[in-house]
Amino acid sequence: MTSETGGMLCAAIAAHASDRPEKTALSRGDHRLTYRELAAAVDTLAARLGELGVAAEDVVVIDLPVGFDTVVAMAAVSRAGAAFTLLEPDLPAPRKQLIIDDCRPAALITEAGPARGPQPGPPLDERLVRRTSPAAYVGYTSGSTGVPKGAVIERSALENHVRRTIDWYGLTSDDTRLLFSSIAFDLALEQICTTMAVGGELVFRDEAFVYGGAEDFLHHCHRLGITVLSLPTGVFNRFGAELAGSAGHIAPGLRLVMAGGEAPTQGAVTSWANVAPGGTRVVNGYGPTETAVVVCYRDLLPGEPVAIGAPIDGVRFRLAPLGDGADASELVIQGVAVGRGYLGRAASSAAFCVRDGEWSYRTGDVATARPDGGYDLHGRFDAQVKVHGGFRVELGEIVSRLLAADIVLDAVVVPFDGAGSRLLAAFVRLDPGIAPPEDPEAALVRQLASALPDYMVPSQVTVVDEFPLTSRGKVDQAALAERAQNRPGGDTGEEDGSTDVTAQLRLAWRQVLGSPPQDGTTSFFAVGGNSVRAIELITQVRKRLDVQLRAAELYRTPGFDALARLLSDRREGIPTAHHTTGTTLVRMRPAGTDRLWVFLPPLSGAVTRYASMSRMLPADDTVWAMETPPELSGKGMAALADGLADVLLAHDVDRYGTICVSGFSLGGVFGYEVARRLYDRCGDKVRALLIDPPDPGAHRVRLADAFDIFVRVGWSIPVPAERFVDADGGFDLAAVTAAAKDAGTLARDAGRQEIEDAWSVYASNARVLDDFVLSPPDGLPVRILQGDTGGEIDYARRGPTAVDAGVDQPWTAGAALGQWRDILPDDAVDRLPVDHFALLEAPNDVLVRDWLDARAQR
């Protein structure tokens, strides 16, 4: 199919659907789409676009979550003969609207389906002169006036890029590629179009694809069979630095990795070249948004200088001197790859011109030719910079956004070198006549984040009284850049040398996101955090606290206070993994001898569930937690309770003025029995305060139930537990081990023994309730806080449940169920309308703490 009659993408999909219909085209986890299914979906959507009147030289905006539908939409627009514009899903709504207003699409494709554009514009070739073929896509980049610029790229340019890339990489239908780049970054087009053209498999990251660093990332690539990888340079450099210290070849199937966006480091090149036993080919790609993706490639070898290569076929480079007698030259690109220009930007389109009789694009990059045919790049001579591994931005656009704020009198934005890529820092002078908000820097970050892509939001915003000046009276941008480079985390009022976890996390948070959290509930991902910045935060945490934070933990615990608690527990040795410590008695927080709390083991036997509570109880209280001793596991409740009570008595539990025995879920049953035994020895100083204990008569914890909780709750594995059960009812713990590593809840280098030990505790505790009958309290004070699950374990429902905390006592009187009803009066039960597994999670843990404290005093 030629450029005049259709696009390479849709034509290739149709051809593969005919030749190899059942070959997997797209995959995400267990969800797969064959080329036959993909072609059918493309045909259906293309027909709907045709019904809307979409034709050649129209623009169609694709605003979809990144996934299979994105590829379907791209191919369908191509099939209709139109050009697509891809919107990043997380792009702020005002930014999306600016792009839509600028390109004036004939149609919009959203999750609701295709629809006519709000104000369709004339065909693209009436707005910009066609050069060789119909338009393929409109790629947007930053604009100095505060409005993004859309570069129109033609089909012949895109198709030439696809063909040359396939040849350079040696791509075949046997290759599997990972879609890693931002969908708005044109490197994503290289990954999608070349994979579909050769009939390979394109893999999308699923929920299990979370990582805390390079080795975790490559583990997932190996698991998914990735053979060719394209990465933004910032990620390439950061991972390369980590891989320098790794042992062994950790990605045996990865034959080629490409870095695109800006110059990679030599150290990263060396690291990546050694990730496969036979060596991995490392490629440097270069190409501005105004041309079709990548216009030159170069193989990079360890120890050799990093440069860009000679242009691909159909493309030519020229060096244009920057002024008379100038030593420096600007790189000019000519040939089929060059776009038409910017939509509606006559002044900006001056970068597109006819030079030596050929349509050309002046890149703004300063370059010199190498004897081997390649080129060295020496930065830019204009106001544009590349940040976050390859995104090119106009600093003027960010400045204009800052000046739009009422409180800002003047602003300067400068780039500085971060961990693996360039970042941005903003310095502002405030209008003395306007009262600023309490934290003006954080307010400005939020304002920018609401209007700009995250890669354009400065990592630092600093209020200054005056800008430093050069001897000629101009703003000393070099001095500002140096200040940004050396800034440990911002002027937060906290000492960078502090060992306090919360203070150091706040500094790391500000270093990565540009402003501190608004409050303790602020989510990392709600204020500009993304997968790349998550890596930066993990690196900062490791550097500042010498504590390992996994990406999976950050995704599960993105709130500032919750994350600080997790890191505090880890540094203080309180277990935060979902397994036992092997220690029966764990002193969570030693204090005075007035009041002691003893928390008994839940089903998992781990003390993890009580870490938060140990911090929240009054500071003068001592807090202990217990785990199930292996020698007593599975021997029945009587033997277990006797053993746990003996451990406490051996540690002089009776020296405390008040002994509050508690436990969550199954731990509540254990707690009751242990409290009864302590009451016999210690008398009235003992009381039992039980948190939603199951009823042994109404709800026995079967072994299958325990395994389900073990898989889905204990290790946060996002697949049904039934997949790990064999035909004979046995449990495949090797498969659970692999799944826990994929979920990020088990260390990558952990063996199967850790899973086996944890499961033995779950299994033995589940057997404890067999034929168990509750005994009367015989004078022991007992109170129960019952969740809204009616005393039954509802492990299918998890997560915080908002409860009105505006009343003094949010819990209400209830009635005991089952065997509890037979031994306790109704006034011994309180109810809290919170799901069982959310009782000890924020914000409900505060309510439970209040209940414990109140009932302990009665």
Side-chain angles (χ1 to χ4, degrees):
M1 186 171 288
T2 68
S3 297
E4 290 296 331
T5 59
M8 175 181 281
L9 181 60
C10 59
I13 291 172
H16 297 315
S18 175
D19 297 340
R20 55 190 82 180
E22 300 309 313
K23 171 78 163 59
T24 298
L26 311 174
S27 65
R28 170 176 267 155
D30 293 332
H31 186 199
R32 297 181 177 274
L33 204 68
T34 65
Y35 274 98
R36 174 181 55 80
E37 294 167 330
L38 176 58
V42 170
D43 289 344
T44 299
L45 181 55
R48 295 183 65 186
L49 292 174
E51 293 169 359
L52 293 174
V54 174
E57 296 294 339
D58 281 338
V59 181
V60 177
V61 167
I62 299 173
D63 185 9
L64 293 168
V66 179
F68 295 0
D69 289 345
T70 307
V71 179
V72 171
M74 290 170 57
V77 172
S78 177
R79 175 72 175 270
F84 56 79
T85 289
L86 292 162
L87 296 183
E88 182 71 40
D90 295 331
L91 205 62
R95 184 78 172 188
K96 287 185 178 182
Q97 193 59 52
L98 282 174
I99 292 174
I100 292 171
D101 292 344
D102 183 69
C103 68
R104 299 173 63 187
L108 294 169
I109 300 176
T110 65
E111 290 184 272
R116 290 288 295 169
Q119 291 182 314
L124 287 173
D125 56 3
E126 293 183 15
R127 293 188 256 179
L128 285 171
V129 175
R130 181 191 296 202
R131 296 294 168 182
T132 61
S133 61
Y137 68 94
V138 182
Y140 274 84
T141 187
S142 173
S144 59
T145 62
V147 179
K149 301 181 296 187
V152 179
I153 307 300
E154 296 185 335
R155 290 195 171 195
S156 57
L158 179 59
E159 292 176 7
N160 184 70
H161 158 73
V162 169
R163 292 190 183 97
R164 305 313 172 197
T165 302
I166 290 171
D167 292 342
W168 188 271
Y169 290 179
L171 291 176
T172 72
S173 60
D174 294 329
D175 279 309
T176 301
R177 304 197 64 187
L178 175 71
L179 183 63
F180 183 83
S181 302
S182 160
I183 200 67
F185 191 17
D186 57 7
L187 195 58
L189 298 184
E190 179 251 298
Q191 295 159 51
I192 295 171
C193 295
T194 58
T195 305
M196 295 296 95
V198 298
E201 179 179 344
L202 184 69
V203 178
F204 293 81
R205 288 178 285 175
D206 61 3
E207 303 82 18
F209 202 110
V210 291
Y211 50 88
E215 293 196 18
D216 281 351
F217 176 81
L218 286 177
H219 165 80
H220 287 298
C221 290
H222 178 57
R223 172 177 63 88
L224 296 170
I226 304 300
T227 59
V228 176
L229 190 61
S230 295
L231 295 175
T233 310
V235 176
F236 179 93
N237 286 343
R238 267 190 291 270
F239 282 172
E242 291 184 36
L243 292 170
S246 64
H249 304 295
I250 56 179
L254 186 62
R255 66 176 184 83
L256 184 148
V257 59
M258 177 265 202
E262 56 182 335
T265 64
Q266 288 186 338
V269 171
T270 300
S271 297
W272 280 103
N274 293 313
V275 295
T280 295
R281 186 179 170 197
V282 179
V283 174
N284 186 20
Y286 167 84
T289 302
E290 291 79 0
T291 64
V293 194
V294 176
V295 294
C296 68
Y297 291 105
R298 183 183 178 92
D299 282 321
L300 299 179
L301 299 177
E304 291 190 355
V306 173
I308 65 172
I312 59 177
D313 289 351
V315 179
R316 289 165 296 284
F317 288 171
R318 295 286 185 269
L319 294 179
L322 293 171
D324 295 336
D327 294 331
S329 297
E330 179 185 13
L331 183 65
V332 178
I333 301 175
Q334 300 176 326
V336 67
V338 180
R340 294 179 187 174
Y342 301 117
L343 283 178
R345 301 287 184 271
S348 300
S349 289
F352 296 88
C353 60
V354 176
R355 178 179 289 270
D356 301 328
E358 289 194 71
W359 186 240
S360 308
Y361 172 67
R362 298 174 52 199
T363 64
D365 290 322
V366 179
T368 55
R370 295 175 56 85
D372 58 14
Y375 294 80
D376 290 317
L377 297 181
H378 309 284
R380 299 186 63 83
F381 70 86
D382 56 17
Q384 294 182 346
V385 296
K386 285 188 176 182
V387 295
H388 289 287
F391 291 99
R392 200 174 84 238
V393 302
E394 293 269 6
L395 298 181
E397 179 172 2
I398 305 169
V399 170
S400 68
R401 291 286 179 182
L402 287 167
L403 294 177
D406 293 338
I407 63 172
V408 175
L409 187 64
D410 200 359
V412 176
V413 178
V414 297
F416 69 98
D417 292 329
S421 65
R422 305 206 85 193
L423 305 175
L424 295 173
F427 295 86
V428 298
R429 294 171 54 216
L430 301 183
D431 188 334
I434 300 177
E438 181 178 350
D439 188 344
E441 296 171 349
L444 289 171
V445 168
R446 291 193 296 273
Q447 183 170 325
L448 292 174
S450 69
L452 296 174
D454 55 17
Y455 59 84
M456 293 183 67
V457 178
S459 297
Q460 302 175 12
V461 174
T462 305
V463 173
V464 295
D465 294 329
E466 297 291 342
F467 297 131
L469 302 178
T470 67
S471 59
R472 296 189 177 184
K474 295 184 178 181
V475 174
D476 191 342
Q477 299 204 7
L480 292 176
E482 183 179 1
R483 178 173 174 178
Q485 186 77 44
N486 297 326
R487 177 182 178 180
D491 301 324
T492 62
E494 298 166 284
E495 290 294 328
D496 188 51
S498 169
T499 59
D500 179 70
V501 170
T502 300
Q504 286 298 323
L505 178 60
R506 188 178 299 276
L507 289 169
W509 188 289
R510 184 162 191 157
Q511 178 82 354
V512 173
L513 295 178
S515 65
Q518 286 182 267
D519 54 46
T521 65
T522 302
S523 167
F524 178 78
F525 298 102
V527 290
N530 54 30
S531 59
V532 173
R533 285 177 174 168
I535 298 171
E536 294 176 1
L537 184 67
I538 289 167
T539 302
Q540 284 287 324
V541 166
R542 185 167 58 242
K543 175 182 175 182
R544 293 174 177 277
L545 296 170
D546 193 26
V547 170
Q548 180 64 41
L549 173 66
R550 299 189 184 112
E553 294 169 327
L554 178 57
Y555 277 93
R556 286 198 308 270
T557 315
F560 180 82
D561 279 353
L563 186 58
R565 289 199 298 267
L566 184 151
L567 295 174
S568 296
D569 290 346
R570 181 154 296 166
R571 196 169 73 164
E572 294 170 13
I574 297 175
T576 51
H578 299 281
H579 56 82
T580 60
T581 65
T583 302
T584 303
L585 179 63
V586 178
R587 291 176 172 84
M588 306 286 283
R589 195 189 69 197
T593 58
D594 182 33
R595 185 164 67 177
L596 169 71
W597 291 89
V598 179
F599 289 96
L600 274 296
L603 183 64
S604 67
V607 300
T608 311
R609 298 294 271 167
Y610 306 122
S612 174
M613 196 59 61
S614 72
R615 284 187 303 271
M616 297 171 60
L617 288 165
D620 293 335
D621 290 0
T622 293
V623 184
W624 292 353
M626 304 194 78
E627 295 182 342
T628 310
E631 67 273 13
L632 295 174
S633 296
K635 293 187 177 181
M637 177 61 78
L640 175 63
D642 286 341
L644 292 172
D646 288 344
V647 170
L648 293 169
L649 291 167
H651 286 83
D652 300 325
V653 68
D654 55 351
R655 72 180 185 272
Y656 290 91
T658 302
I659 306 168
C660 300
V661 183
S662 186
F664 165 67
S665 192
L666 188 62
V669 182
F670 295 163
Y672 174 73
E673 289 299 313
V674 171
R676 284 184 59 248
R677 285 156 175 78
L678 291 180
Y679 183 75
D680 291 341
R681 296 283 297 273
C682 303
D684 292 341
K685 63 171 62 178
V686 179
R687 59 209 62 194
L689 304 175
L690 316 178
I691 307 169
D692 209 16
D695 176 58
H699 184 85
R700 298 191 182 282
V701 180
R702 299 174 303 140
L703 200 59
D705 293 332
F707 185 71
D708 198 20
I709 300 172
F710 175 71
V711 170
R712 299 202 292 118
V713 177
W715 293 95
S716 300
I717 296 173
V719 295
E722 290 85 354
R723 296 190 185 178
F724 306 107
V725 180
D726 59 32
D728 299 325
F731 307 120
D732 186 351
L733 296 184
V736 174
T737 301
K741 291 181 179 181
D742 289 343
T745 50
L746 181 64
R748 186 68 56 217
D749 57 354
R752 176 175 164 178
Q753 190 64 44
E754 192 165 338
I755 292 287
E756 290 179 345
D757 290 346
W759 170 237
S760 68
V761 174
Y762 273 78
S764 61
N765 283 359
R767 296 188 183 101
V768 163
L769 289 184
D770 285 352
D771 301 321
F772 175 66
V773 177
L774 290 165
S775 300
D778 295 331
L780 170 71
V782 181
R783 300 299 301 235
I784 290 179
L785 180 64
Q786 199 171 75
D788 72 348
T789 57
E792 296 186 6
I793 296 178
D794 181 6
Y795 48 82
R797 296 197 292 168
R798 302 187 68 199
T801 304
V803 176
D804 182 7
V807 295
D808 291 339
Q809 293 184 348
W811 53 86
T812 57
L817 302 174
Q819 288 191 45
W820 294 109
R821 178 178 55 201
D822 298 335
I823 65 169
L824 297 178
D826 285 343
D827 63 3
V829 179
D830 296 311
R831 301 193 63 138
L832 188 64
V834 175
D835 288 350
H836 176 80
F837 274 103
L839 276 165
L840 297 189
E841 296 184 19
N844 306 312
D845 53 357
V846 175
L847 306 178
V848 175
R849 184 276 314 274
D850 291 346
W851 178 83
L852 288 170
D853 192 35
R855 296 304 183 231
Q857 298 175 34
R858 296 186 179 183

